[in-house]
Amino acid sequence: MKPIHASIGMAQRSPATSPCLMLTRPYTRSDGIPGHGDAPVAQESRPKRKYTMRAHGSRGFTLIELMVTISIVAILLGLVTPSFTSLLNTNRLATQANDILGALTVARSEAIRLDRRVVLCRSDDGASCSTASDKWQGWLLFVDNDNNDTPSATEILRVGTIASDTVSVQGSSAISGQQNRIRTGSDGFARVTANSSAALLQAKISVCIATASPAENAREIRIVNGGRAMIVSVNNNSTCPIPSNS
């Protein structure tokens, strides 16, 4: 009977004192002999995940990637540069032509308001008129109070400069023949001479850049029948010739 009590004692052992978790199911030993009591079954454990640290260093460009990038940039610059140059030259032409047109408009209005002759002339120093035959360096507008056809410090109304290294400004023969002057009488009309009864002026001032970008590389300020002036875009085939009178 002692063996029976011993097995019962084993069956009543507390799982808390057992070296492993005891589950109540019969088992057979590896040698084929039935085991006494419940089979010790170890707890099932999950496989541990292995975590490794990967070095994420900075990655540079390869030679092929660099060459492809440079090629793309060169192509884009080749497409953008002509358009940018054209826009820049167009703005230069418009700015200079509008300045001279504005001066002619002031000459007409001031001549009528003051009942005096107002003169627009080429000026290289901003203080006196110039009779030179090359490209204009600048211009000035004066009211001829003493009728001597020469500006004094108190008569000057406006002064303008010209970037002659980039923009070429030239007057037609009707202007250069009047010593680079455009005289507007008190009636608001420009004439071919200083005489108030002379014929009405028909002339042009050309504002030009010797370039093919843009194709219309000149702006002509046209004075028709001594009246109001207007700006006309002209294609001079990348050159800057002296404009005609008509």
Side-chain angles (χ1 to χ4, degrees), residues 64-88:
I64 294 177
E65 291 173 336
L66 184 60
M67 291 177 65
V68 170
T69 302
I70 293 175
S71 299
I72 293 174
V73 171
I75 292 172
L76 292 177
L77 286 176
L79 295 174
V80 171
T81 300
S83 299
F84 178 75
T85 302
S86 177
L87 179 61
L88 184 62

Short mmCIF file of all heavy atoms in Angstrom, two decimals, residues 64-88:
data_model
loop_
_atom_site.label_atom_id
_atom_site.label_comp_id
_atom_site.label_asym_id
_atom_site.label_seq_id
_atom_site.Cartn_x
_atom_site.Cartn_y
_atom_site.Cartn_z
N ILE A 64 28.02 58.84 -63.19
CA ILE A 64 27.01 58.83 -64.25
C ILE A 64 25.84 59.74 -63.87
O ILE A 64 25.33 60.51 -64.70
CB ILE A 64 26.51 57.39 -64.50
CG1 ILE A 64 27.66 56.54 -65.06
CG2 ILE A 64 25.33 57.39 -65.46
CD1 ILE A 64 27.29 55.11 -65.28
N GLU A 65 25.39 59.67 -62.62
CA GLU A 65 24.29 60.54 -62.18
C GLU A 65 24.67 62.01 -62.28
O GLU A 65 23.86 62.85 -62.70
CB GLU A 65 23.91 60.20 -60.73
CG GLU A 65 23.24 58.84 -60.58
CD GLU A 65 23.03 58.46 -59.13
OE1 GLU A 65 23.77 58.97 -58.27
OE2 GLU A 65 22.14 57.64 -58.85
N LEU A 66 25.91 62.31 -61.92
CA LEU A 66 26.37 63.69 -62.00
C LEU A 66 26.41 64.18 -63.44
O LEU A 66 25.99 65.31 -63.75
CB LEU A 66 27.75 63.82 -61.36
CG LEU A 66 28.34 65.23 -61.26
CD1 LEU A 66 27.42 66.12 -60.43
CD2 LEU A 66 29.73 65.18 -60.65
N MET A 67 26.88 63.34 -64.36
CA MET A 67 26.94 63.72 -65.77
C MET A 67 25.55 63.93 -66.35
O MET A 67 25.31 64.86 -67.13
CB MET A 67 27.70 62.67 -66.55
CG MET A 67 29.19 62.60 -66.23
SD MET A 67 30.03 61.29 -67.12
CE MET A 67 29.85 61.85 -68.80
N VAL A 68 24.60 63.08 -65.98
CA VAL A 68 23.23 63.22 -66.46
C VAL A 68 22.61 64.52 -65.94
O VAL A 68 21.94 65.26 -66.67
CB VAL A 68 22.38 62.01 -66.03
CG1 VAL A 68 20.91 62.26 -66.31
CG2 VAL A 68 22.84 60.75 -66.77
N THR A 69 22.86 64.84 -64.67
CA THR A 69 22.32 66.07 -64.08
C THR A 69 22.88 67.30 -64.79
O THR A 69 22.14 68.24 -65.11
CB THR A 69 22.66 66.13 -62.58
OG1 THR A 69 22.11 64.97 -61.93
CG2 THR A 69 22.07 67.39 -61.95
N ILE A 70 24.18 67.30 -65.03
CA ILE A 70 24.80 68.44 -65.72
C ILE A 70 24.25 68.59 -67.12
O ILE A 70 24.00 69.70 -67.60
CB ILE A 70 26.33 68.27 -65.74
CG1 ILE A 70 26.89 68.37 -64.31
CG2 ILE A 70 26.99 69.32 -66.63
CD1 ILE A 70 28.37 68.10 -64.21
N SER A 71 24.03 67.47 -67.80
CA SER A 71 23.47 67.53 -69.17
C SER A 71 22.07 68.13 -69.18
O SER A 71 21.74 68.95 -70.03
CB SER A 71 23.45 66.12 -69.77
OG SER A 71 24.75 65.59 -69.86
N ILE A 72 21.24 67.73 -68.21
CA ILE A 72 19.88 68.26 -68.14
C ILE A 72 19.90 69.76 -67.85
O ILE A 72 19.17 70.54 -68.47
CB ILE A 72 19.07 67.51 -67.06
CG1 ILE A 72 18.86 66.05 -67.48
CG2 ILE A 72 17.73 68.19 -66.83
CD1 ILE A 72 18.20 65.20 -66.43
N VAL A 73 20.77 70.19 -66.93
CA VAL A 73 20.88 71.61 -66.61
C VAL A 73 21.33 72.41 -67.82
O VAL A 73 20.82 73.49 -68.11
CB VAL A 73 21.83 71.82 -65.42
CG1 VAL A 73 22.12 73.30 -65.22
CG2 VAL A 73 21.24 71.23 -64.15
N ALA A 74 22.29 71.85 -68.58
CA ALA A 74 22.79 72.55 -69.78
C ALA A 74 21.69 72.70 -70.82
O ALA A 74 21.56 73.74 -71.47
CB ALA A 74 23.98 71.79 -70.36
N ILE A 75 20.87 71.66 -70.98
CA ILE A 75 19.77 71.74 -71.96
C ILE A 75 18.75 72.78 -71.54
O ILE A 75 18.28 73.59 -72.35
CB ILE A 75 19.10 70.35 -72.10
CG1 ILE A 75 20.06 69.36 -72.78
CG2 ILE A 75 17.82 70.45 -72.92
CD1 ILE A 75 19.56 67.94 -72.78
N LEU A 76 18.41 72.81 -70.24
CA LEU A 76 17.43 73.79 -69.76
C LEU A 76 17.95 75.22 -69.91
O LEU A 76 17.21 76.12 -70.29
CB LEU A 76 17.10 73.51 -68.29
CG LEU A 76 16.32 72.20 -68.02
CD1 LEU A 76 16.12 72.01 -66.52
CD2 LEU A 76 14.98 72.23 -68.74
N LEU A 77 19.25 75.42 -69.62
CA LEU A 77 19.82 76.75 -69.79
C LEU A 77 19.80 77.17 -71.25
O LEU A 77 19.56 78.34 -71.58
CB LEU A 77 21.25 76.77 -69.25
CG LEU A 77 21.40 76.75 -67.73
CD1 LEU A 77 22.86 76.69 -67.34
CD2 LEU A 77 20.75 77.98 -67.11
N GLY A 78 20.06 76.21 -72.15
CA GLY A 78 20.03 76.52 -73.57
C GLY A 78 18.65 76.93 -74.05
O GLY A 78 18.51 77.73 -74.98
N LEU A 79 17.61 76.40 -73.40
CA LEU A 79 16.24 76.76 -73.78
C LEU A 79 15.81 78.09 -73.16
O LEU A 79 15.08 78.87 -73.78
CB LEU A 79 15.27 75.65 -73.34
CG LEU A 79 15.44 74.28 -74.02
CD1 LEU A 79 14.51 73.27 -73.38
CD2 LEU A 79 15.15 74.39 -75.51
N VAL A 80 16.28 78.35 -71.94
CA VAL A 80 15.81 79.54 -71.22
C VAL A 80 16.59 80.79 -71.61
O VAL A 80 16.01 81.88 -71.70
CB VAL A 80 15.93 79.30 -69.69
CG1 VAL A 80 15.65 80.57 -68.92
CG2 VAL A 80 14.96 78.20 -69.27
N THR A 81 17.89 80.68 -71.87
CA THR A 81 18.73 81.86 -72.10
C THR A 81 18.25 82.73 -73.25
O THR A 81 18.15 83.96 -73.10
CB THR A 81 20.18 81.43 -72.32
OG1 THR A 81 20.64 80.73 -71.16
CG2 THR A 81 21.08 82.63 -72.57
N PRO A 82 17.93 82.18 -74.45
CA PRO A 82 17.45 83.06 -75.53
C PRO A 82 16.17 83.83 -75.16
O PRO A 82 16.03 85.00 -75.49
CB PRO A 82 17.20 82.09 -76.69
CG PRO A 82 18.06 80.92 -76.40
CD PRO A 82 18.06 80.79 -74.91
N SER A 83 15.26 83.17 -74.48
CA SER A 83 14.02 83.83 -74.08
C SER A 83 14.29 84.95 -73.08
O SER A 83 13.70 86.03 -73.16
CB SER A 83 13.06 82.81 -73.47
OG SER A 83 12.72 81.82 -74.41
N PHE A 84 15.19 84.69 -72.15
CA PHE A 84 15.53 85.71 -71.15
C PHE A 84 16.22 86.90 -71.81
O PHE A 84 15.92 88.06 -71.49
CB PHE A 84 16.42 85.12 -70.06
CG PHE A 84 16.85 86.10 -69.02
CD1 PHE A 84 15.95 86.53 -68.05
CD2 PHE A 84 18.13 86.62 -69.02
CE1 PHE A 84 16.33 87.45 -67.09
CE2 PHE A 84 18.52 87.55 -68.07
CZ PHE A 84 17.62 87.96 -67.10
N THR A 85 17.14 86.64 -72.74
CA THR A 85 17.83 87.72 -73.45
C THR A 85 16.85 88.56 -74.25
O THR A 85 16.93 89.79 -74.27
CB THR A 85 18.91 87.14 -74.37
OG1 THR A 85 19.83 86.36 -73.60
CG2 THR A 85 19.67 88.23 -75.11
N SER A 86 15.92 87.90 -74.93
CA SER A 86 14.91 88.61 -75.71
C SER A 86 14.07 89.51 -74.81
O SER A 86 13.78 90.67 -75.16
CB SER A 86 14.03 87.61 -76.46
OG SER A 86 13.01 88.26 -77.16
N LEU A 87 13.65 88.99 -73.66
CA LEU A 87 12.83 89.78 -72.73
C LEU A 87 13.61 90.97 -72.20
O LEU A 87 13.07 92.09 -72.10
CB LEU A 87 12.38 88.88 -71.58
CG LEU A 87 11.54 89.54 -70.48
CD1 LEU A 87 10.25 90.09 -71.05
CD2 LEU A 87 11.26 88.55 -69.36
N LEU A 88 14.88 90.76 -71.88
CA LEU A 88 15.70 91.84 -71.35
C LEU A 88 15.89 92.95 -72.38
O LEU A 88 15.74 94.14 -72.08
CB LEU A 88 17.06 91.28 -70.92
CG LEU A 88 18.03 92.26 -70.25
CD1 LEU A 88 17.44 92.78 -68.96
CD2 LEU A 88 19.37 91.58 -70.00
#
